[in-house]
Amino acid sequence: MLNIGYEFRKGILFIRLSGVLTKNTVDKLQNEVTDMIKDNGIRNVVFNISDLNVIDIKGINSLLYNYELCKNNQGQSLLCGLKNSLVRHRIENSRLLKYMNETSDELSAFNIINL
């Protein structure tokens, strides 16, 4: 199961994911987050995945797709909270961190975007 919390603060959409982001749950991310980014032209997004327990290649690809949307809107997308060792391993072995910057927490991400 995937739980999604979000907050829009000072031009940045903070997405807080918890649970499982896999082929069975990416549709929820698509319907709640990706469509919001598309429909509103949101430029800057921070994905906080500190409470994510499992991710697979479909989940990683969905994060990459959201990164591309932000890039096309002349913004950026960052990851923070890579605490879970399984999630970190999967993300490090994908190409995701070649595109998305990783920060330790939301405040660090906020400071990077507002430079």
Side-chain angles (χ1 to χ4, degrees), residues 2-3 5 9-11 14 26-27 39-40 44 51 58 65 70 74 77 80 83 85-86 88 97-98 100 111:
L2 177 67
N3 293 310
R9 197 172 3 131
K10 296 191 178 188
F14 291 88
V26 291
D27 287 345
D39 296 344
N40 298 294
N44 298 308
D51 293 326
K58 292 280 190 190
Y65 181 70
C70 292
Q74 283 73 52
S77 180
C80 73
K83 296 178 181 174
S85 59
L86 175 64
R88 174 174 282 287
L97 293 179
K98 291 180 183 176
M100 292 179 77
N111 291 331

Side-chain angles (χ1 to χ4, degrees), residues 43-47 57 60-72 75-80 82 90-103 112-113:
R43 297 178 55 210
N44 298 308
V45 177
V46 174
F47 286 95
I57 192 65
I60 290 169
N61 285 339
S62 67
L63 293 174
L64 184 60
Y65 181 70
N66 283 289
Y67 159 82
E68 290 290 337
L69 288 175
C70 292
K71 183 179 168 196
N72 291 340
Q76 53 187 316
S77 180
L78 285 85
L79 278 179
C80 73
L82 248 86
R90 290 252 169 96
I91 286 176
E92 286 177 345
N93 286 330
S94 74
R95 65 186 194 279
L96 187 62
L97 293 179
K98 291 180 183 176
Y99 301 99
M100 292 179 77
N101 287 327
E102 175 197 353
T103 65
I112 289 172
I113 289 174

Side-chain angles (χ1 to χ4, degrees), residues 23-24 27 43 47 50 52 55 64 80 84 98 108-109:
K23 65 181 180 182
N24 299 322
D27 287 345
R43 297 178 55 210
F47 286 95
S50 60
L52 206 61
I55 193 167
L64 184 60
C80 73
N84 182 293
K98 291 180 183 176
S108 300

Side-chain angles (χ1 to χ4, degrees), residues 29-41:
L29 184 70
Q30 164 80 28
N31 295 334
E32 291 186 29
V33 176
T34 307
D35 291 347
M36 185 188 325
I37 294 170
K38 277 191 217 175
D39 296 344
N40 298 294

